[in-house]
Coordinates of all heavy atoms in Angstrom, one line a residue:
M10 N 192.5 12.1 193.7 CA 191.0 12.1 193.4 C 190.3 11.4 194.5 O 190.7 10.3 195.0 CB 190.7 11.5 192.1 CG 189.2 11.5 191.7 SD 188.9 10.9 190.1 CE 189.3 9.2 190.2
E11 N 189.2 12.0 194.9 CA 188.4 11.4 196.0 C 187.8 10.0 195.5 O 187.3 9.9 194.3 CB 187.2 12.3 196.3 CG 186.4 12.0 197.5 CD 185.4 13.0 197.8 OE1 185.6 14.2 197.5 OE2 184.3 12.7 198.2
K12 N 187.8 9.0 196.3 CA 187.2 7.7 195.9 C 185.8 7.9 195.6 O 185.0 8.5 196.4 CB 187.5 6.7 197.0 CG 187.2 5.3 196.6 CD 187.5 4.3 197.7 CE 187.2 2.9 197.3 NZ 187.4 2.0 198.4
G13 N 185.3 7.3 194.5 CA 183.9 7.4 194.1 C 183.5 8.8 193.6 O 182.4 9.0 193.3
G14 N 184.5 9.7 193.4 CA 184.2 11.0 192.9 C 183.9 11.0 191.4 O 184.1 10.0 190.7
I15 N 183.3 12.1 191.0 CA 182.9 12.2 189.6 C 183.8 13.2 188.9 O 184.1 14.3 189.4 CB 181.4 12.7 189.4 CG1 180.5 11.6 190.0 CG2 181.1 13.0 188.0 CD1 179.0 12.1 190.1
I16 N 184.4 12.7 187.8 CA 185.3 13.7 187.0 C 184.4 14.5 186.1 O 183.7 14.0 185.3 CB 186.3 12.9 186.2 CG1 187.2 12.0 187.1 CG2 187.2 13.8 185.4 CD1 188.0 11.0 186.3
K17 N 184.5 15.8 186.4 CA 183.6 16.7 185.6 C 184.2 16.9 184.2 O 185.4 17.0 184.0 CB 183.4 18.0 186.3 CG 182.6 17.8 187.5 CD 182.1 19.1 188.0 CE 181.2 18.8 189.2 NZ 181.0 19.9 190.1
H18 N 183.4 16.8 183.2 CA 183.8 16.8 181.8 C 183.1 18.0 181.1 O 181.9 18.0 180.9 CB 183.4 15.5 181.2 CG 183.8 15.4 179.7 ND1 185.1 15.4 179.3 CD2 183.1 15.2 178.6 CE1 185.2 15.2 178.0 NE2 183.9 15.2 177.6
D19 N 183.9 19.0 180.7 CA 183.3 20.1 179.9 C 183.4 19.8 178.4 O 184.5 20.0 177.8 CB 184.1 21.4 180.3 CG 183.4 22.6 179.6 OD1 182.6 22.4 178.8 OD2 183.8 23.7 180.0
Q20 N 182.3 19.3 177.9 CA 182.3 18.9 176.5 C 182.6 20.0 175.5 O 183.2 19.8 174.5 CB 181.0 18.2 176.2 CG 181.1 17.1 175.1 CD 179.9 16.2 175.0 OE1 178.8 16.7 175.0 NE2 180.1 14.9 175.0
A21 N 182.2 21.2 175.9 CA 182.4 22.4 175.0 C 183.9 22.6 174.8 O 184.3 23.2 173.8 CB 181.8 23.6 175.6
K22 N 184.8 22.2 175.8 CA 186.2 22.5 175.7 C 186.9 21.2 175.2 O 188.1 21.3 174.9 CB 186.8 22.9 177.0 CG 186.3 24.2 177.5 CD 187.0 24.6 178.8 CE 186.4 25.9 179.4 NZ 186.8 26.0 180.8
A23 N 186.2 20.1 175.1 CA 186.9 18.8 174.8 C 187.1 18.7 173.3 O 186.3 19.2 172.5 CB 186.0 17.7 175.2
P24 N 188.2 18.0 172.8 CA 188.4 17.8 171.4 C 187.3 16.8 170.9 O 186.9 16.0 171.6 CB 189.8 17.2 171.3 CG 190.1 16.7 172.7 CD 189.3 17.5 173.6
K25 N 187.0 17.0 169.6 CA 185.9 16.1 169.0 C 186.6 14.8 168.7 O 187.3 14.7 167.7 CB 185.3 16.8 167.8 CG 184.5 18.0 168.2 CD 183.5 18.4 167.1 CE 182.5 19.3 167.7 NZ 182.8 20.7 167.7
T26 N 186.4 13.8 169.5 CA 187.2 12.6 169.4 C 186.5 11.5 168.5 O 187.0 10.4 168.4 CB 187.3 12.0 170.9 OG1 186.1 12.0 171.5 CG2 188.3 12.8 171.7
G27 N 185.4 11.9 167.9 CA 184.6 10.9 167.1 C 185.5 10.4 165.9 O 185.3 9.3 165.4
D28 N 186.4 11.2 165.5 CA 187.3 10.8 164.3 C 188.2 9.6 164.7 O 188.7 9.0 163.8 CB 188.2 12.0 163.9 CG 187.4 13.0 163.2 OD1 186.2 12.8 162.8 OD2 187.9 14.2 163.0
W29 N 188.4 9.3 165.9 CA 189.2 8.2 166.3 C 188.5 6.9 166.1 O 189.1 5.8 166.1 CB 189.5 8.3 167.8 CG 190.2 9.5 168.3 CD1 190.5 10.6 167.5 CD2 190.6 9.8 169.7 NE1 191.1 11.6 168.3 CE2 191.2 11.1 169.6 CE3 190.5 9.2 170.9 CZ2 191.6 11.7 170.8 CZ3 191.0 9.8 172.0 CH2 191.5 11.1 172.0
R30 N 187.2 7.0 165.9 CA 186.3 5.7 165.9 C 186.6 4.9 164.7 O 186.8 5.4 163.6 CB 184.9 6.2 165.9 CG 183.9 5.1 166.1 CD 182.5 5.7 166.2 NE 182.2 6.5 165.0 CZ 181.9 7.8 165.0 NH1 181.8 8.4 166.1 NH2 181.6 8.4 163.9
Y31 N 186.7 3.6 164.9 CA 186.9 2.6 163.8 C 185.5 2.0 163.5 O 185.1 1.8 162.4 CB 187.9 1.5 164.2 CG 188.0 0.4 163.3 CD1 188.5 0.6 162.0 CD2 187.7 -0.9 163.6 CE1 188.6 -0.4 161.1 CE2 187.8 -1.9 162.7 CZ 188.3 -1.7 161.4 OH 188.4 -2.7 160.5
L32 N 184.8 1.6 164.6 CA 183.4 1.0 164.4 C 182.4 2.0 164.9 O 182.6 2.6 166.0 CB 183.3 -0.3 165.1 CG 184.2 -1.5 164.5 CD1 184.1 -2.7 165.4 CD2 183.7 -1.8 163.1
K33 N 181.3 2.1 164.3 CA 180.2 3.0 164.6 C 179.0 2.3 165.2 O 178.5 1.4 164.5 CB 179.8 3.8 163.4 CG 178.7 4.9 163.6 CD 178.5 5.6 162.3 CE 177.4 6.7 162.5 NZ 177.1 7.3 161.3
P34 N 178.5 2.6 166.4 CA 177.3 2.0 166.9 C 176.1 2.5 166.3 O 175.9 3.7 166.2 CB 177.4 2.3 168.4 CG 178.1 3.6 168.5 CD 179.1 3.6 167.3
E35 N 175.2 1.6 165.9 CA 173.9 2.0 165.3 C 172.8 1.3 166.0 O 172.8 0.1 166.3 CB 173.9 1.6 163.8 CG 174.7 2.6 163.0 CD 174.5 2.4 161.5 OE1 173.6 1.7 161.0 OE2 175.3 3.0 160.7
V36 N 171.8 2.1 166.4 CA 170.7 1.7 167.2 C 169.5 1.3 166.3 O 169.1 2.0 165.4 CB 170.2 2.8 168.2 CG1 169.0 2.2 169.0 CG2 171.3 3.3 169.0
D37 N 169.0 0.1 166.5 CA 167.8 -0.4 165.7 C 166.6 -0.1 166.5 O 166.3 -0.6 167.5 CB 168.0 -1.9 165.5 CG 166.8 -2.5 164.7 OD1 165.8 -1.8 164.5 OD2 167.0 -3.7 164.2
P38 N 165.7 0.9 166.0 CA 164.5 1.3 166.7 C 163.5 0.2 166.9 O 162.7 0.2 167.8 CB 164.0 2.4 165.9 CG 164.6 2.3 164.6 CD 165.9 1.6 164.7
S39 N 163.6 -0.9 166.0 CA 162.6 -2.0 166.2 C 163.0 -2.9 167.4 O 162.2 -3.7 167.8 CB 162.6 -2.8 164.9 OG 163.8 -3.5 164.7
K40 N 164.3 -2.8 167.8 CA 164.7 -3.6 169.0 C 164.8 -2.9 170.3 O 164.7 -3.4 171.3 CB 166.0 -4.3 168.6 CG 166.0 -5.3 167.5 CD 167.3 -6.0 167.3 CE 167.2 -7.1 166.3 NZ 168.6 -7.6 166.0
C41 N 165.2 -1.6 170.2 CA 165.5 -0.8 171.4 C 164.2 -0.7 172.3 O 163.1 -0.3 171.8 CB 166.0 0.6 171.1 SG 166.1 1.7 172.5
I42 N 164.3 -1.1 173.5 CA 163.1 -1.0 174.4 C 163.3 0.1 175.4 O 162.6 0.2 176.4 CB 162.9 -2.4 175.2 CG1 164.3 -2.8 175.9 CG2 162.5 -3.5 174.2 CD1 164.1 -4.0 176.9
G43 N 164.2 1.0 175.2 CA 164.4 2.2 176.0 C 164.8 2.0 177.5 O 164.4 2.7 178.3
C44 N 165.6 0.9 177.7 CA 165.9 0.6 179.1 C 167.0 1.5 179.7 O 167.1 1.4 181.0 CB 166.3 -0.9 179.2 SG 167.9 -1.2 178.4
T45 N 167.7 2.2 178.9 CA 168.8 3.1 179.4 C 170.1 2.5 179.8 O 171.0 3.1 180.3 CB 168.3 4.2 180.5 OG1 168.2 3.5 181.7 CG2 167.0 4.8 180.1
T46 N 170.2 1.1 179.7 CA 171.4 0.4 180.2 C 172.6 1.0 179.5 O 173.7 1.2 180.1 CB 171.2 -1.1 180.0 OG1 170.1 -1.5 180.6 CG2 172.5 -1.8 180.5
C47 N 172.5 1.2 178.2 CA 173.7 1.6 177.4 C 174.1 3.0 177.9 O 175.3 3.3 178.0 CB 173.4 1.6 175.9 SG 171.9 2.5 175.5
V48 N 173.1 3.9 178.2 CA 173.4 5.3 178.6 C 174.2 5.2 179.9 O 175.2 6.0 180.0 CB 172.1 6.1 178.8 CG1 172.4 7.5 179.3 CG2 171.3 6.1 177.5
L49 N 173.9 4.4 180.8 CA 174.6 4.3 182.1 C 176.0 3.7 182.0 O 176.8 4.0 182.8 CB 173.7 3.4 183.1 CG 172.3 4.0 183.4 CD1 171.6 3.0 184.2 CD2 172.4 5.3 184.1
H50 N 176.2 2.9 180.9 CA 177.5 2.3 180.8 C 178.5 2.9 179.8 O 179.7 2.6 179.8 CB 177.3 0.8 180.3 CG 176.9 -0.1 181.4 ND1 175.6 -0.2 181.8 CD2 177.6 -1.0 182.2 CE1 175.4 -1.0 182.8 NE2 176.6 -1.5 183.1
C51 N 178.0 3.9 179.0 CA 178.9 4.5 178.0 C 180.0 5.2 178.8 O 179.8 6.2 179.5 CB 178.1 5.5 177.1 SG 179.2 6.4 176.0
P52 N 181.3 4.9 178.5 CA 182.4 5.5 179.3 C 182.6 6.9 178.8 O 183.3 7.7 179.6 CB 183.6 4.6 178.9 CG 183.3 3.9 177.6 CD 181.8 3.8 177.7
E53 N 182.1 7.3 177.7 CA 182.3 8.7 177.2 C 181.1 9.6 177.5 O 181.1 10.8 177.2 CB 182.5 8.7 175.7 CG 183.8 7.9 175.3 CD 185.0 8.5 175.9 OE1 185.2 9.7 176.1 OE2 185.9 7.6 176.3
A54 N 180.0 9.0 178.1 CA 178.8 9.8 178.4 C 178.3 10.6 177.2 O 178.0 11.7 177.2 CB 179.0 10.8 179.6
V55 N 178.2 9.8 176.0 CA 177.8 10.5 174.8 C 176.4 10.0 174.3 O 176.0 10.2 173.2 CB 178.8 10.3 173.7 CG1 180.1 11.0 174.0 CG2 179.1 8.8 173.3
M56 N 175.7 9.2 175.2 CA 174.4 8.7 174.9 C 173.4 9.4 175.8 O 173.6 9.6 177.0 CB 174.4 7.2 175.1 CG 175.5 6.4 174.5 SD 175.4 4.7 174.7 CE 174.5 4.2 173.3
E57 N 172.2 9.7 175.2 CA 171.1 10.2 175.9 C 169.8 9.7 175.3 O 169.7 9.4 174.1 CB 171.2 11.7 176.1 CG 171.0 12.5 174.8 CD 171.1 14.0 175.1 OE1 171.6 14.4 176.1 OE2 170.7 14.7 174.1
M58 N 168.7 9.7 176.1 CA 167.4 9.3 175.7 C 166.7 10.5 175.1 O 166.8 11.6 175.5 CB 166.6 8.7 176.8 CG 167.3 7.5 177.6 SD 167.9 6.2 176.5 CE 166.3 5.4 176.0
R59 N 165.9 10.2 174.1 CA 165.0 11.2 173.5 C 163.7 10.6 173.0 O 163.6 9.4 172.9 CB 165.7 11.9 172.3 CG 166.0 10.9 171.1 CD 166.2 11.7 169.8 NE 166.7 10.8 168.8 CZ 165.9 10.0 168.1 NH1 164.6 9.9 168.3 NH2 166.5 9.2 167.2
K60 N 162.7 11.4 172.7 CA 161.5 10.9 172.2 C 161.6 10.3 170.8 O 162.5 10.7 170.0 CB 160.4 12.1 172.1 CG 159.9 12.5 173.4 CD 158.7 13.4 173.2 CE 158.1 13.8 174.5 NZ 157.1 14.8 174.4
R61 N 160.9 9.3 170.6 CA 160.9 8.6 169.2 C 160.2 9.5 168.2 O 159.2 10.1 168.5 CB 160.2 7.3 169.3 CG 161.1 6.2 170.0 CD 160.3 4.9 170.1 NE 161.1 4.1 171.1 CZ 161.7 3.0 170.8 NH1 161.7 2.5 169.6 NH2 162.4 2.4 171.8
G62 N 160.7 9.5 167.0 CA 160.1 10.2 165.9 C 159.0 9.3 165.4 O 158.9 8.1 165.7
K63 N 158.1 9.8 164.5 CA 157.0 9.0 164.0 C 157.4 7.8 163.2 O 156.9 6.7 163.3 CB 156.1 9.9 163.0 CG 155.2 10.8 163.8 CD 154.3 11.6 162.9 CE 153.5 12.6 163.6 NZ 152.9 13.6 162.8
K64 N 158.5 8.0 162.4 CA 159.0 6.8 161.6 C 159.6 5.7 162.5 O 159.4 4.5 162.3 CB 160.1 7.3 160.6 CG 159.5 8.0 159.4 CD 160.7 8.4 158.5 CE 160.1 9.2 157.4 NZ 161.2 9.8 156.5
E65 N 160.2 6.2 163.6 CA 160.8 5.2 164.6 C 159.6 4.5 165.3 O 159.7 3.3 165.6 CB 161.7 5.9 165.6 CG 163.0 6.3 164.9 CD 163.8 7.3 165.8 OE1 163.2 8.0 166.6 OE2 165.0 7.5 165.5
I66 N 158.6 5.2 165.7 CA 157.5 4.6 166.4 C 156.8 3.5 165.5 O 156.5 2.4 165.9 CB 156.4 5.6 166.8 CG1 157.0 6.5 167.9 CG2 155.1 5.0 167.2 CD1 156.1 7.7 168.3
A67 N 156.7 3.8 164.2 CA 156.2 2.9 163.2 C 157.0 1.6 163.2 O 156.4 0.5 163.0 CB 156.1 3.5 161.8
K68 N 158.3 1.7 163.4 CA 159.2 0.5 163.3 C 159.3 -0.2 164.6 O 159.8 -1.3 164.7 CB 160.6 0.9 162.9 CG 160.7 1.4 161.4 CD 162.2 1.7 161.2 CE 162.4 2.4 159.9 NZ 163.7 3.0 159.8
S69 N 158.9 0.4 165.7 CA 159.2 -0.1 167.1 C 158.3 -1.3 167.4 O 157.2 -1.4 166.9 CB 158.9 1.0 168.1 OG 159.8 2.1 167.9
S70 N 158.8 -2.0 168.4 CA 158.0 -3.1 169.0 C 157.0 -2.5 169.9 O 157.0 -1.4 170.2 CB 159.0 -4.1 169.8 OG 159.4 -3.3 170.9
E71 N 156.0 -3.4 170.3 CA 155.0 -2.9 171.2 C 155.5 -2.3 172.5 O 155.1 -1.2 172.9 CB 154.0 -4.0 171.6 CG 153.0 -4.3 170.4 CD 152.3 -3.1 169.9 OE1 151.7 -2.4 170.7 OE2 152.3 -2.9 168.7
I72 N 156.6 -2.9 173.0 CA 157.2 -2.3 174.3 C 157.9 -1.0 173.9 O 157.8 0.0 174.6 CB 158.2 -3.3 174.8 CG1 157.6 -4.6 175.2 CG2 158.9 -2.7 176.1 CD1 158.5 -5.7 175.6
G73 N 158.6 -1.0 172.8 CA 159.5 0.2 172.5 C 158.6 1.4 172.1 O 159.1 2.5 172.4
K74 N 157.5 1.2 171.5 CA 156.7 2.4 171.1 C 156.4 3.4 172.2 O 156.4 4.6 172.0 CB 155.3 1.8 170.6 CG 155.2 1.4 169.2 CD 153.8 1.1 168.8 CE 153.6 0.1 167.7 NZ 154.4 0.3 166.5
E75 N 156.2 2.9 173.4 CA 155.9 3.7 174.5 C 157.1 4.3 175.2 O 157.0 5.2 176.1 CB 155.1 2.9 175.6 CG 153.9 2.2 175.1 CD 152.9 3.1 174.6 OE1 152.7 4.2 175.2 OE2 152.2 2.8 173.6
K76 N 158.3 3.9 174.8 CA 159.5 4.3 175.5 C 160.4 5.3 174.6 O 160.2 5.4 173.4 CB 160.4 3.1 175.8 CG 159.7 2.0 176.5 CD 159.6 2.3 178.0 CE 158.9 1.2 178.7 NZ 159.3 1.0 180.0
E77 N 161.3 6.0 175.3 CA 162.2 6.8 174.6 C 163.3 5.9 173.9 O 163.4 4.7 174.2 CB 162.9 7.7 175.5 CG 162.0 8.8 176.1 CD 162.7 9.8 177.0 OE1 163.6 9.4 177.8 OE2 162.4 11.0 176.8
I78 N 164.0 6.5 172.9 CA 165.1 5.8 172.2 C 166.4 6.5 172.5 O 166.4 7.7 172.9 CB 164.8 5.7 170.7 CG1 165.7 4.7 170.0 CG2 164.9 7.1 170.1 CD1 165.3 4.3 168.6
V79 N 167.5 5.8 172.3 CA 168.8 6.3 172.7 C 169.4 7.0 171.4 O 169.2 6.6 170.3 CB 169.7 5.3 173.2 CG1 170.1 4.3 172.2 CG2 170.9 5.9 173.8
D80 N 170.0 8.2 171.7 CA 170.7 9.0 170.7 C 172.2 9.0 171.0 O 172.6 9.0 172.2 CB 170.2 10.4 170.8 CG 169.7 10.9 169.4 OD1 169.8 10.1 168.5 OD2 169.3 12.1 169.4
I81 N 173.0 8.9 170.0 CA 174.5 8.9 170.2 C 175.1 10.2 169.6 O 174.8 10.5 168.5 CB 175.1 7.6 169.6 CG1 174.5 6.4 170.2 CG2 176.6 7.6 169.7 CD1 174.8 5.1 169.5
D82 N 176.0 10.8 170.4 CA 176.7 12.0 169.8 C 177.9 11.4 169.1 O 178.9 11.1 169.8 CB 177.1 12.9 171.0 CG 177.7 14.2 170.5 OD1 178.1 14.2 169.3 OD2 177.8 15.2 171.2
Y83 N 177.9 11.3 167.8 CA 179.0 10.8 167.0 C 180.2 11.7 167.0 O 181.2 11.2 166.5 CB 178.5 10.4 165.6 CG 177.5 9.2 165.6 CD1 176.2 9.4 165.2 CD2 178.0 7.9 166.0 CE1 175.3 8.3 165.2 CE2 177.1 6.9 166.0 CZ 175.8 7.0 165.6 OH 174.9 6.0 165.6
E84 N 180.1 12.9 167.4 CA 181.3 13.8 167.4 C 182.2 13.3 168.5 O 183.4 13.7 168.4 CB 180.8 15.2 167.6 CG 180.2 15.8 166.4 CD 180.1 17.3 166.4 OE1 180.0 17.9 167.5 OE2 180.1 17.9 165.3
Y85 N 181.7 12.6 169.5 CA 182.6 12.3 170.6 C 182.6 10.7 170.9 O 183.5 10.3 171.6 CB 182.1 12.9 171.9 CG 182.2 14.4 171.9 CD1 181.2 15.2 171.5 CD2 183.4 15.0 172.2 CE1 181.3 16.6 171.4 CE2 183.6 16.4 172.1 CZ 182.5 17.2 171.7 OH 182.6 18.6 171.6
C86 N 181.7 10.0 170.3 CA 181.7 8.5 170.5 C 183.0 7.9 169.9 O 183.4 8.2 168.8 CB 180.5 7.9 169.7 SG 180.7 6.1 169.5
K87 N 183.7 7.1 170.7 CA 185.0 6.6 170.3 C 184.9 5.1 169.7 O 185.9 4.5 169.4 CB 186.0 6.6 171.4 CG 186.4 8.0 171.8 CD 187.3 8.0 173.0 CE 187.6 9.4 173.4 NZ 188.2 9.5 174.7
G88 N 183.6 4.6 169.7 CA 183.4 3.3 169.1 C 183.9 2.1 169.9 O 184.3 1.1 169.4
C89 N 183.9 2.3 171.2 CA 184.5 1.2 172.1 C 183.6 -0.1 172.1 O 184.1 -1.1 172.4 CB 184.6 1.7 173.5 SG 183.0 2.1 174.3
G90 N 182.3 0.1 171.8 CA 181.4 -1.1 171.7 C 180.8 -1.5 173.0 O 180.1 -2.5 173.1
V91 N 181.1 -0.8 174.1 CA 180.5 -1.2 175.4 C 179.0 -1.2 175.3 O 178.3 -2.1 175.8 CB 181.0 -0.2 176.5 CG1 180.1 -0.4 177.8 CG2 182.4 -0.4 176.8
C92 N 178.4 -0.2 174.7 CA 176.9 -0.1 174.5 C 176.3 -1.3 173.9 O 175.3 -1.8 174.3 CB 176.5 1.2 173.8 SG 177.4 1.4 172.2
A93 N 177.0 -1.8 172.8 CA 176.5 -3.0 172.1 C 176.6 -4.2 173.0 O 175.7 -5.1 172.9 CB 177.3 -3.2 170.8
Q94 N 177.6 -4.3 173.8 CA 177.8 -5.4 174.7 C 176.8 -5.5 175.8 O 176.3 -6.6 176.1 CB 179.2 -5.4 175.3 CG 180.3 -5.8 174.4 CD 180.3 -7.2 174.0 OE1 180.1 -8.1 174.9 NE2 180.5 -7.5 172.8
V95 N 176.4 -4.3 176.3 CA 175.5 -4.3 177.5 C 174.1 -4.3 177.2 O 173.2 -4.6 178.0 CB 175.8 -3.2 178.5 CG1 177.3 -3.3 179.0 CG2 175.6 -1.8 177.9
C96 N 173.7 -4.0 175.9 CA 172.3 -3.9 175.5 C 171.6 -5.3 175.7 O 172.1 -6.3 175.1 CB 172.2 -3.4 174.1 SG 170.4 -3.4 173.6
P97 N 170.6 -5.4 176.5 CA 170.0 -6.7 176.8 C 169.2 -7.3 175.6 O 168.9 -8.5 175.6 CB 169.0 -6.4 178.0 CG 168.7 -5.0 177.8 CD 169.9 -4.3 177.3
V98 N 168.9 -6.5 174.6 CA 168.1 -7.0 173.5 C 168.9 -6.9 172.2 O 168.4 -7.0 171.1 CB 166.8 -6.3 173.3 CG1 165.9 -6.6 174.5 CG2 166.9 -4.8 173.2
K99 N 170.2 -6.6 172.3 CA 171.1 -6.5 171.1 C 170.6 -5.5 170.1 O 170.5 -5.8 168.9 CB 171.3 -7.9 170.5 CG 172.0 -8.9 171.5 CD 173.4 -8.5 171.8 CE 174.0 -9.4 172.9 NZ 174.8 -8.7 173.8
A100 N 170.2 -4.4 170.5 CA 169.6 -3.4 169.6 C 170.7 -2.5 169.0 O 170.4 -1.7 168.1 CB 168.6 -2.5 170.4
I101 N 171.9 -2.6 169.5 CA 173.0 -1.8 168.9 C 174.0 -2.7 168.2 O 174.5 -3.7 168.7 CB 173.8 -1.0 170.1 CG1 172.8 -0.1 170.8 CG2 174.9 -0.2 169.5 CD1 173.4 0.6 172.0
V102 N 174.3 -2.3 167.0 CA 175.2 -3.1 166.1 C 176.4 -2.2 165.8 O 176.2 -1.0 165.5 CB 174.6 -3.6 164.9 CG1 175.6 -4.3 163.9 CG2 173.4 -4.5 165.2
M103 N 177.6 -2.7 165.9 CA 178.8 -1.9 165.6 C 179.1 -2.1 164.1 O 179.3 -3.3 163.6 CB 180.0 -2.4 166.4 CG 179.8 -2.3 167.9 SD 179.5 -0.6 168.5 CE 181.1 0.2 168.2
K104 N 179.1 -1.0 163.3 CA 179.3 -1.1 161.9 C 180.5 -0.3 161.5 O 180.9 0.7 162.1 CB 178.1 -0.6 161.2 CG 176.9 -1.5 161.4 CD 175.7 -1.0 160.5 CE 174.5 -1.9 160.6 NZ 173.4 -1.5 159.9
K105 N 181.2 -0.7 160.4 CA 182.3 0.0 159.8 C 181.8 1.2 159.1 O 180.7 1.2 158.5 CB 183.1 -0.9 158.9 CG 184.0 -1.8 159.6 CD 185.0 -2.5 158.7 CE 185.9 -3.4 159.5 NZ 186.7 -4.3 158.6
Ligands
SF4_23 S1 180.7 2.9 171.2 FE1 181.5 3.4 173.3 S2 181.7 5.6 173.3 FE2 180.4 5.1 171.5 S3 178.3 5.3 172.3 FE3 178.9 3.2 172.6 S4 179.7 3.0 174.7 FE4 179.6 5.2 174.1
SF4_24 S1 170.6 -0.8 176.2 FE1 169.6 -1.4 174.2 S2 167.4 -1.4 174.7 FE2 168.4 -0.3 176.3 S3 168.2 1.9 175.7 FE3 170.2 1.1 175.0 S4 169.8 0.4 172.9 FE4 167.9 0.6 173.9

């Protein structure tokens, strides 16, 4: 493999690995400030940013209201906990 290369991942052909998960990451909309740090660090690339819903905006902090929130594809998330570790405001909690 070329140094620094990107391994292409065809999610449509990949097995749904979410069943392997022991702990599930949950995002608290009142804490998430939409910084995207977790998205960049997720080793499975199963996180992406999306617009906040009305209920989430109502719960959000002043900073968060204006920002997108992170969504997790639980069909593929393996529960490694990296996202919870790197979040600067501890908006992700790993739950059983
Ligand atoms: S627990 Fe791991 S695989 Fe799941 S969303 Fe977080 S960083 Fe990605
Ligand atoms: S790292 Fe934390 S604050 Fe930043 S987008 Fe992810 S959950 Fe939100």
Side-chain angles (χ1 to χ4, degrees):
M10 182 174 64
E11 192 179 323
K12 191 175 178 185
I15 294 170
I16 301 169
K17 291 196 176 156
H18 178 66
D19 186 349
Q20 212 165 44
K22 291 180 186 167
K25 293 198 164 87
T26 50
D28 289 346
W29 303 359
R30 192 178 52 241
Y31 174 64
L32 294 174
K33 181 179 182 182
E35 283 188 13
V36 182
D37 182 344
S39 71
K40 292 186 178 173
C41 175
I42 54 170
C44 68
T45 74
T46 303
C47 55
V48 177
L49 298 173
H50 284 80
C51 173
E53 300 301 322
V55 296
M56 309 182 91
E57 64 181 16
M58 304 306 290
R59 64 161 170 80
K60 283 190 176 173
R61 285 176 197 245
K63 281 183 185 167
K64 284 183 186 173
E65 288 165 339
I66 290 172
K68 289 182 192 169
S69 299
S70 65
E71 283 307 310
I72 300 171
K74 274 186 205 316
E75 306 297 322
K76 306 281 179 149
E77 291 185 316
I78 192 168
V79 69
D80 233 0
I81 299 168
D82 184 344
Y83 290 115
E84 288 195 328
Y85 295 96
C86 163
K87 292 178 185 163
C89 66
V91 168
C92 52
Q94 284 292 318
V95 299
C96 176
V98 292
K99 301 293 171 216
I101 301 178
V102 175
M103 301 301 290
K104 294 189 176 173
K105 280 194 182 170

